[in-house]
Each structure stands twice: as structure tokens, then as C-alpha cells.
């Protein structure tokens, strides 16, 4: 009886270990996952992968999945933008695009300073918000020899107003 119980226990432990390993194997991440930003407004949350993602050391080596999120917004409710810590640890730029593209607002964030930003859906001077762009920056030397920043990764959210 004791031998039978021990064998049964060994079989149960082996099957449990196998099941645990099999579950881990099936649900584990397969390679590096692209970073996502999230945008929230009035009960709607979206997550968006990169529109453009380049090697920071070689801006000619790019992936262009061209992912663009769409968020429904309401005039009296702001948009809450969140970036993952991996983006926040680097210099990043936020572009707030309005009905007149000449009124685009640009904000540069230093590394480690922001994980979230609240953006009004309507700006008194600029009008309605039509989109949000998050860019990770790298320094490059342009053809004239000047040092400037350039995006090596970009995420895009289009806003659509609801009535």
C-alpha cells in the first residue's frame, strides 16, 4: 500500500511539473515585445505599438509597422497619456496636434521625469486635439554638420470627437 501511494504521488508530481512547464512554455513572451503607449479618455483605454522604430545608432535600420491608435474623445474630458518606464528613462518628445497643424504643441521631457501627461481635448487657443505623437530621441549630425535631435521611434494616436 505504501509503495502504491508513493508511486501515485510520484506520478502526480511529475504530471504537475510537466503541466506547469508546458503552460509556461506556451504563454512565455517570444522575443522582445515592442513597447506600447496607452491613452485614456472618458472610459476608453487604448494601447498602441510603434508607428516607426529604428535602431538608435543607425536611423536607416528601421521597422515601420505604422500602428496608429484611435481614441474617441469628448470636448469636456481630457486625454491621459501614459508611457512605459523604458520610454520615460530616455529623452522623449510629445507632439499635440490640433485642427490647424501650424498650432502643434511640442513638449520635451528629460529622462526619468514623466510617465504620464494629461492633455486637454480642446485648447482655448489651438482648438480641438486631432492627434498625439510620442517620439524617442537620439542625437544626430545633420548634413551641415550641426548636432540635433531626431526621432528613432514614434507612437501615434488619432483622436476622434464624439457628440
Amino acid at each position: 500500500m505504501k509503495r502504491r501511494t508513493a508511486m501515485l504521488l510520484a506520478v502526480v508530481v511529475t504530471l504537475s511539473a510537466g503541466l506547469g512547464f508546458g503552460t509556461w512554455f506556451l504563454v512565455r513572451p517570444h522575443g522582445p515585445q515592442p513597447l506600447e503607449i496607452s491613452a485614456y479618455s472618458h472610459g476608453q483605454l487604448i494601447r498602441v505599438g510603434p508607428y516607426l522604430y529604428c535602431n538608435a545608432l543607425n536611423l536607416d535600420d528601421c521597422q515601420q509597422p505604422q500602428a496608429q491608435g484611435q481614441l474617441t474623445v469628448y470636448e469636456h474630458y481630457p486625454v491621459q497619456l501614459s508611457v512605459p518606464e523604458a520610454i520615460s528613462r530616455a529623452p522623449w518628445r510629445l507632439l499635440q496636434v490640433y485642427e490647424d497643424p501650424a498650432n502643434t504643441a511640442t513638449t520635451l521631457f528629460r529622462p526619468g521625469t514623466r510617465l504620464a501627461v494629461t492633455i486637454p481635448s480642446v485648447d482655448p487657443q489651438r482648438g480641438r486635439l486631432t492627434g498625439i505623437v510620442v517620439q524617442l530621441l537620439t542625437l544626430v549630425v545633420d548634413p551641415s554638420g550641426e548636432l540635433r535631435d531626431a526621432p528613432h521611434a514614434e507612437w501615434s494616436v488619432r483622436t476622434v470627437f464624439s457628440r
Side-chain angles (χ1 to χ4, degrees):
M1 181 75 169
K2 288 183 181 181
R3 184 174 180 192
R4 192 181 206 176
T5 304
M7 285 179 52
L8 183 60
L9 184 60
V11 168
V12 168
V13 168
T14 303
L15 286 175
S16 295
L19 181 62
F21 176 80
T23 301
W24 168 81
F25 185 79
L26 291 174
V27 299
R28 79 186 192 293
H30 300 284
Q33 299 298 311
L35 296 174
E36 292 181 332
I37 64 168
S38 62
Y40 172 87
S41 184
H42 194 57
Q44 182 187 10
L45 172 69
I46 62 165
R47 296 185 192 285
V48 181
Y51 184 83
L52 168 75
Y53 201 88
C54 301
N55 179 330
L57 301 176
N58 178 4
L59 296 183
D60 294 325
D61 178 14
C62 297
Q63 297 174 13
Q64 298 183 5
Q66 297 186 349
Q68 184 179 43
Q70 179 174 308
L71 181 68
T72 302
V73 296
Y74 298 82
E75 193 168 312
H76 299 292
Y77 295 94
V79 174
Q80 181 71 34
L81 172 73
S82 298
V83 299
E85 192 173 339
I87 291 175
S88 175
R89 285 193 309 251
W92 63 282
R93 179 169 38 214
L94 170 63
L95 304 174
Q96 298 170 45
V97 183
Y98 293 90
E99 290 170 312
D100 178 2
N103 286 330
T104 297
T106 303
T107 308
L108 183 62
F109 296 100
R110 294 181 6 194
T113 59
R114 281 314 248 313
L115 286 169
V117 180
T118 300
I119 304 163
S121 58
V122 178
D123 182 278
Q125 285 76 38
R126 294 183 173 102
R128 287 182 164 190
L129 183 70
T130 60
I132 300 165
V133 177
V134 171
Q135 298 175 328
L136 270 178
L137 303 173
T138 192
L139 291 175
V140 297
V141 177
D142 67 17
S144 67
E146 296 291 320
L147 189 63
R148 65 178 182 84
D149 59 21
H152 70 270
E154 186 171 284
W155 292 261
S156 176
V157 175
R158 183 168 53 108
T159 58
V160 177
F161 275 80
S162 182
R163 299 190 189 269

